[in-house]
Amino acid sequence: MLVQRIALLAERLGIPLPRVAGQTRLGLSGTVRVTQPVPLLFTPRADEQIAEVDPGLNRTDLVDGMNGSHVWTWLEVRGSEGRWRWPEMGDEPEVLVRCSEGDLPAQDFSLILSMARWSLRCVPARDGGGLLVLGVLKPRRAPCARLLVADFSVGATVRRPPGLPGFDAKGMCTLVAAQTRLRVRVDERELEREEADERDFITAARRYLEALRNHAISSTPRAQYELVERAPLRLRTVDGEAWPRAFTGPGTLLQVPTEQEQLRTLPVVDVSDDGDVLTLDADANGEGLLERGELKMRPSDDSLRRMREALDTIAMGVDEAHGRLLAALTRPESLVALTASETTAGDEQTARQREATTLALNTPDIALIHGPPGTGKTTVICGIVEELVRRGQRVLLVAPTHVALDNVLERVGDRAGVTAIRLGSPDNVEEQAHRFLLQNRSRDLMQRLATELRDAVTGAPADDAVTAVQREWSERIRNDEEIGTLLLLNANLVCATPIGIAMAREFREVDVVFDVMILDEASKATITDVLVPAARARKWLLVGDHRQLAPYVDLGELEAVVSERVKRAQSSEPPEGWTREISTLLRQHFDNRMHPDPERVAGPWRDLVAELTKPFEIDDAAVELLVGLGPVSEKWREAYRAASRTAPGEAGAEPAALKPEHATILRLGAELLELQSLALPSVFEHLTRLPASRAVRLNFQHRMAPALAAFSSELVYSGDYPSAPETAKLGLEIPSLEAPAIWIDTAYAPADRRYEDPRDRDWSGGDYTNELEIDVTVEFVDTCATWAVQSWRGDARERGRGAGAPFEIGVICFYLKQALRLREAIFRRLAGGRDPWRRRWRSPAANGAPIDVHVSIVDRFQGREKDLVILCTTRSNPKGRRGHVDNLNRLNVAVTRARHKRIVIGDSTTLAGQEGGRRRQPEDLLRRLYETSEIKKKWGRALGGQS
């Protein structure tokens, strides 16, 4: 790994550092290794000096002595006064530049070989047969010396087998020159710092995965379930909660109660994108299982072990690519900036897409494509895949959600030259992508091969030996599982979720078998999620948008890891419930990190520090100093070291920050901030520190009416989010709801009707519902669906879905309990269906297509789009508490799901008015959303108006 680190450092500094030059190569710890004997040719003057240094010694004895001792090597250059000297820090001798490029003027430099008893001054021999020894000197060592691992021979006695090339002395000097340049340019402490960064990252990731694994294998949690289907067998959580991720991955064993009052043990095969439906063993059926009940979970640690194996492989640097990946993960800002490549001419709308494709194809290792909503991420990915396949490269396409994979497969899977394989359960794969499933591809291939073999032997003599073998193969191949493995390992496009790759038996070995890994929706995958697929590729392209929702992290899992960190940092037992509160505040602080209001960023940080210090008796001044350190783990580490060095009672410049009794708090704070930076952000957000030349941000949006994109353009993407011209055609002429962006203001309803529940003194509880908003939303869905029955003729846009497109209504909530209540209120009049969150309206649209009604929370709407979206904000209270609605990432997702129309239902006094007696600032998120919408004060019967 150190070899790779040195080479990458040289690359960043623009120093040509070959790893192999002829028979010479870069060895461990910067040593220079030579794989063939180095011929030494002695001049008469060198022979004389050997005798002067040690009478009775000859060249053969000297060479034998070199082979028995350490030899150090470096380059010396001839100064203007004719004296020899070694390069010094800041010195850039022209000869070293020429030497590293292959031009070796002997009069300007010499190669020194130094041992304990003497040193030799050498230059490459003119005939290329070795090193010519010019003189023998007293032993010495230069600061830029490197250990030379080699055998030496007297040049006249070297014998080479026929066909073996002569010794490449020029290559040896070139590699030493490059290392000499590196040595005079770099303080070796920089290498030590990089090694420490990598060690800290690997250690933190190992501890995190180990804590999750311990949490999984030491627990047997219980959960309420309901039976969705019996064949295939599928279970859903009760009340819409997601299954805990650590307990329900593929391989988890569930003990499900039966009607005979027994427990039936069944393995999990796959988990739905929403995380609330489990598909169990396809060979099992649900006969005899209770419709509803409580099951026990016996978690599998297979996926966590795969992550750990991948991490260890990356840490060891088994492949050169692993060194580059580790450098990108630990210090992305230090990677080499890339030279901009020329892109083909075209229209302004697609300029960034072409730029992104060019970057993806030309990056030497890693690049980002930042894709805000509707900017054509899938189109870009398809173009990249097609071009990579055309170049003969293998692509691993990974995404945290199945729908993202299927969207790409639908477009590119059947293109010329693409052999696509899809890993996953059929129940989680879109029907149009089923033909790409590995089991289906294998079956089709086996049937075709068996048919061709049978056809080939039809009519052949029964006693023919070759025919007998072909007949045998035609029978065996129908059940040959190796066909699937061979097909998977030879496909040039393999698509799977990160956990799908981790659990596929064909990828149990951590071998680099893909040229490029493309991670779609990278803003929903954590760093540890991506370890398994990333370890199997040589280059990495990440596509996502860190301005949308971060990856989902189960609070129970986070609490388990926090507990482990607390035990490491302090010996005493924390107060009951403290670790859960710390975990909650840690996530709240992370959720508010991008908010444009500085107070919304500073408040959660202050709350986290205040809770952190509760078990310790410290004064307010010390708390303020801790708050002042900021959420930077390195600063907490530095303060911890300073406090640990300070003797009890010793005064300092900042006594409150340097007291030894604060060391435990500082260490724990550093541990928690390191955990936050590893477990909560997406790998995409982590890598936004890459040089700007390694990232392209798509800008023209093609999804929604321009008025709907205006909010995110101004407040999220700094104005660089223009709408494509064709979006001007979007809109729905629904009577009394003509505008694209509408806010239905409930502020004019009496407080006892509009306020949320529960109505406590603080209005800062957890789960909320709002009965008035439920009534208004139900009326809206009825009005809009009725309009579609009479007027929806399909989506006529040039890039749209055509005249037969269904009409899609999305109802988005910021709180799960409100979503559950809304689902019940809307769906009670509609026909049943398999999906608990989606139903069809009772009548089709005017074009004969169905009207789809989808109710869910914001977190489950990312990646989706609807014709019309109703945002149910829920929050309404006299304190101005806004909760989840005021989260930048969550709000950005919510307001960018609609194509034609967005309707917000909310209390303007709570959401956009005053807080604590103060009017909200003009740049406040919800105030701007309110002001850029058409306001309706009394709409519909529920608000005292007319529908």
Side-chain angles (χ1 to χ4, degrees):
M1 179 57 71
L2 187 55
V3 174
Q4 297 179 15
R5 187 179 301 114
I6 293 170
L8 291 171
L9 179 59
E11 183 180 284
R12 293 204 304 271
L13 296 172
I15 300 173
L17 183 60
R19 301 189 187 196
V20 178
Q23 297 88 6
T24 311
R25 64 189 63 244
L26 180 65
L28 291 174
S29 302
T31 60
V32 179
R33 295 175 178 267
V34 185
T35 57
Q36 290 185 15
V38 181
L40 298 179
L41 308 171
F42 290 82
T43 63
R45 175 59 180 159
D47 283 332
E48 294 174 4
Q49 291 179 342
I50 292 174
E52 292 173 4
V53 171
D54 192 344
L57 186 70
N58 58 40
R59 64 176 68 170
T60 301
D61 296 333
L62 184 147
V63 170
D64 289 342
M66 292 176 66
N67 287 330
S69 64
H70 289 308
V71 178
W72 297 86
T73 184
W74 67 91
L75 290 182
E76 287 189 353
V77 296
R78 192 190 300 275
S80 57
E81 70 286 356
R83 297 173 60 88
W84 293 99
R85 63 181 178 85
W86 58 74
E88 299 174 352
M89 188 70 71
D91 192 10
E92 289 283 354
E94 183 68 17
V95 62
L96 292 183
V97 177
R98 291 200 301 271
C99 177
S100 65
E101 294 173 351
D103 183 15
L104 300 171
Q107 70 275 13
D108 290 337
F109 86 98
S110 61
L111 180 72
I112 303 299
L113 305 177
S114 182
M115 288 70 63
R117 297 173 58 189
W118 50 72
S119 298
L120 306 182
R121 185 182 300 281
C122 311
V123 295
R126 291 185 180 276
D127 61 358
L131 295 175
L132 181 64
V133 182
L134 301 179
V136 180
L137 315 171
K138 292 181 180 180
R140 56 204 178 99
R141 180 82 60 82
C144 53
R146 287 288 186 259
L147 183 65
L148 181 66
V149 181
D151 291 327
F152 299 90
S153 300
V154 178
T157 63
V158 174
R159 296 180 180 178
R160 295 191 302 272
L164 187 67
F167 182 77
D168 185 4
K170 181 177 178 180
M172 176 179 175
C173 293
T174 298
L175 197 147
V176 174
Q179 289 217 48
T180 302
R181 289 190 66 209
L182 180 64
R183 175 62 184 85
V184 301
R185 285 278 302 277
V186 178
D187 185 340
E188 289 192 354
R189 287 176 296 182
E190 183 168 348
L191 288 177
E192 295 174 0
R193 285 193 296 270
E194 292 189 354
E195 186 177 12
D197 289 342
E198 293 177 2
R199 183 176 60 249
D200 292 345
F201 171 79
I202 294 294
T203 301
R206 279 177 179 156
R207 287 175 182 164
Y208 175 67
L209 293 174
E210 196 62 28
L212 286 182
R213 182 172 178 268
N214 292 339
H215 177 50
I217 63 179
S218 64
S219 306
T220 307
R222 300 168 182 265
Q224 298 295 321
Y225 77 92
E226 57 184 10
L227 198 62
V228 180
E229 290 181 85
R230 294 187 183 272
L233 182 55
R234 305 174 83 206
L235 306 180
R236 179 185 295 118
T237 55
V238 175
D239 293 335
E241 294 283 358
W243 297 98
R245 189 172 63 164
F247 296 107
T248 49
T252 297
L253 295 178
L254 303 183
Q255 293 181 320
V256 188
T258 68
E259 295 170 353
Q260 292 75 33
E261 298 184 353
Q262 297 177 336
L263 291 176
R264 184 176 175 188
T265 302
L266 298 166
V268 173
V269 174
D270 212 341
V271 187
S272 67
D273 283 350
D274 291 339
D276 62 348
V277 176
L278 302 179
T279 301
L280 305 188
D281 189 345
D283 295 330
N285 61 63
E287 292 301 323
L289 297 182
L290 294 178
E291 289 283 344
R292 296 172 67 93
E294 183 181 74
L295 54 76
K296 295 180 181 179
M297 302 178 185
R298 293 170 51 193
S300 165
D301 65 341
D302 280 358
S303 61
L304 294 169
R305 285 194 292 110
R306 298 285 174 265
M307 292 178 190
R308 173 62 186 269
E309 290 168 4
L311 181 68
D312 290 344
T313 300
I314 293 169
M316 291 186 292
V318 174
D319 189 279
E320 178 186 341
H322 295 145
R324 294 183 176 274
L325 177 61
L326 187 55
L329 292 175
T330 54
R331 46 187 185 280
E333 65 281 348
S334 67
L335 266 62
V336 178
L338 303 180
T339 304
S341 302
E342 293 186 6
T343 55
T344 57
D347 64 279
E348 183 185 14
Q349 291 184 57
T350 59
R352 298 275 184 91
Q353 293 185 357
R354 296 193 305 276
E355 186 181 345
T357 301
T358 301
L359 172 65
L361 296 174
N362 295 332
T363 181
D365 36 50
I366 193 165
L368 300 184
I369 297 177
H370 182 190
T375 52
K377 296 186 290 292
T378 302
T379 300
V380 171
I381 291 173
C382 291
I384 292 169
V385 168
E386 194 169 19
E387 179 58 27
L388 289 172
V389 168
R390 191 186 67 78
R391 296 182 180 188
Q393 297 186 337
R394 298 191 70 216
V395 182
L396 176 61
L397 176 64
V398 186
T401 62
H402 293 280
V403 67
L405 299 171
D406 296 336
N407 285 341
V408 174
L409 265 178
E410 186 179 359
R411 296 196 196 183
V412 80
D414 291 319
R415 292 185 184 177
V418 177
T419 303
I421 294 293
R422 177 74 160 88
L423 299 179
S425 166
D427 296 291
N428 284 332
V429 176
E430 295 290 336
E431 187 174 346
Q432 63 268 24
H434 275 196
R435 64 187 184 279
F436 300 111
L437 285 167
L438 178 60
Q439 53 267 44
N440 294 338
R441 286 271 191 173
S442 300
R443 185 191 61 241
D444 294 343
L445 178 60
M446 286 188 289
Q447 289 176 350
R448 188 166 67 250
L449 289 175
T451 300
E452 290 177 357
L453 283 170
R454 285 197 304 270
D455 292 345
V457 300
T458 300
D463 58 351
D464 184 89
V466 175
T467 301
V469 173
Q470 289 177 319
R471 284 198 179 98
E472 181 183 352
W473 271 102
S474 69
E475 296 301 322
R476 288 179 55 188
I477 205 169
R478 296 179 184 177
N479 301 309
D480 192 353
E481 293 184 0
E482 294 301 317
I483 289 290
T485 302
L486 292 173
L487 185 60
L488 182 61
L489 296 179
N490 285 279
N492 53 25
L493 175 62
V494 176
C495 306
T497 60
I499 196 69
I501 290 292
M503 300 307 295
R505 62 181 181 85
E506 294 83 1
F507 293 121
R508 291 297 173 92
E509 298 299 324
V510 188
D511 295 325
V512 177
V513 294
F514 293 96
D515 297 287
V516 181
M517 182 202 79
I518 301 176
L519 178 63
D520 193 10
E521 293 195 355
S523 53
K524 296 182 72 174
T526 65
I527 296 172
T528 51
D529 286 338
V530 79
L531 290 175
V532 174
R536 289 156 172 79
R538 293 186 176 86
K539 291 168 58 174
W540 310 272
L541 175 64
L542 285 78
V543 185
D545 179 15
H546 63 290
R547 295 289 182 172
Q548 296 188 57
L549 288 169
Y552 170 76
V553 177
D554 182 75
L555 184 60
E557 296 174 21
L558 186 61
E559 183 184 1
V561 184
V562 168
S563 298
E564 180 263 344
R565 297 299 173 93
V566 170
K567 291 175 184 176
R568 281 170 39 81
Q570 65 182 63
S571 56
S572 60
E573 192 71 23
E576 184 178 355
W578 183 72
T579 54
R580 188 166 188 84
E581 184 64 21
I582 282 289
S583 304
T584 301
L585 292 172
L586 196 67
R587 193 164 68 179
Q588 287 180 1
H589 169 249
F590 175 79
D591 287 343
N592 286 278
R593 70 201 183 283
M594 295 183 186
H595 202 285
D597 183 355
E599 185 55 37
R600 280 301 303 271
V601 179
W605 169 242
R606 184 176 294 277
D607 293 343
L608 175 60
V609 174
E611 186 66 29
L612 177 66
T613 58
K614 274 187 178 179
F616 308 91
E617 295 182 2
I618 66 173
D619 55 35
D620 293 342
V623 173
E624 287 303 313
L625 285 168
L626 292 173
V627 171
L629 289 175
V632 182
S633 60
E634 291 81 2
K635 290 185 178 181
W636 285 68
R637 285 286 182 200
E638 291 172 6
Y640 164 70
R641 287 190 286 268
S644 300
R645 289 193 299 266
T646 305
E650 182 181 336
E654 293 179 320
L658 297 176
K659 290 180 180 177
E661 55 264 34
H662 298 149
T664 299
I665 302 175
L666 290 165
R667 180 186 176 188
L668 180 56
E671 293 264 354
L672 294 178
L673 289 171
E674 288 168 358
L675 170 62
Q676 184 189 62
S677 65
L678 177 68
L680 297 182
S682 68
V683 65
F684 189 92
E685 181 179 344
H686 180 77
L687 291 173
T688 53
R689 293 184 288 148
L690 284 168
S693 60
R694 289 176 172 268
V696 172
R697 194 172 77 76
L698 307 178
N699 58 346
F700 270 89
Q701 72 86 14
H702 303 266
R703 170 183 295 173
M704 67 199 93
L708 302 182
F711 172 83
S712 293
S713 178
E714 175 189 352
L715 295 169
V716 183
Y717 301 114
S718 304
D720 188 19
Y721 190 48
S723 296
E726 74 267 15
T727 61
K729 304 175 186 177
L730 299 174
L732 302 175
E733 294 299 323
I734 302 177
S736 79
L737 298 171
E738 291 83 2
I742 298 172
W743 185 302
I744 306 298
D745 196 352
T746 63
Y748 299 91
D752 62 338
R753 289 195 63 213
R754 75 175 189 267
Y755 281 172
E756 68 210 28
D757 290 305
R759 302 179 180 184
D760 53 29
R761 288 185 301 172
D762 264 349
W763 304 86
S764 58
D767 297 321
Y768 290 100
T769 60
N770 189 308
E771 289 298 324
L772 176 60
E773 290 191 17
I774 291 173
D775 293 340
V776 175
T777 303
V778 169
E779 193 171 349
F780 260 113
V781 171
D782 187 76
T783 297
C784 295
T786 300
W787 173 88
V789 170
Q790 300 171 351
S791 306
W792 174 253
R793 306 293 176 183
D795 196 335
R797 290 180 296 165
E798 182 180 348
R799 65 174 294 275
R801 298 165 295 147
F807 185 65
E808 298 176 330
I809 299 174
V811 180
I812 301 179
C813 301
F814 290 86
Y815 291 89
L816 178 60
K817 281 196 174 180
Q818 181 78 344
L820 293 169
R821 294 287 303 279
L822 267 169
R823 181 184 69 177
E824 180 184 1
I826 294 171
F827 290 176
R828 66 164 58 109
R829 295 176 294 169
L830 305 181
R834 290 178 52 185
D835 193 321
W837 298 101
R838 300 175 73 163
R839 290 288 188 274
R840 288 187 174 184
W841 194 250
R842 47 186 175 263
S843 303
N847 65 345
I851 298 173
D852 180 82
V853 182
H854 187 177
V855 182
S856 195
I857 56 174
V858 177
D859 303 58
R860 297 182 181 182
F861 257 95
Q862 184 163 324
R864 303 181 185 274
E865 54 186 276
K866 306 293 179 182
D867 294 299
L868 182 146
V869 165
I870 301 169
L871 296 184
C872 188
T873 60
T874 308
R875 300 307 304 269
S876 175
N877 55 76
K879 294 283 190 178
R881 308 284 195 205
R882 304 187 292 187
H884 294 330
V885 191
D886 195 33
N887 178 278
L888 175 70
N889 298 66
R890 188 170 278 111
L891 190 60
N892 185 37
V893 170
V895 300
T896 54
R897 299 305 97 194
R899 303 185 189 103
H900 298 275
K901 193 178 299 292
R902 178 184 69 226
I903 301 171
V904 178
I905 303 173
D907 180 354
S908 63
T909 58
T910 297
L911 301 177
Q914 295 185 348
E915 180 183 23
R918 293 183 297 120
R919 182 168 174 77
R920 300 191 190 276
Q921 296 298 314
E923 65 274 14
D924 179 82
L925 289 175
L926 290 165
R927 178 176 172 180
R928 291 295 299 140
L929 183 64
Y930 180 76
E931 293 173 347
T932 55
S933 303
E934 181 181 279
I935 312 302
K936 290 188 177 294
K937 301 177 181 179
K938 287 190 175 183
W939 185 94
R941 293 181 298 275
L943 292 176
Q946 293 182 348
S947 296

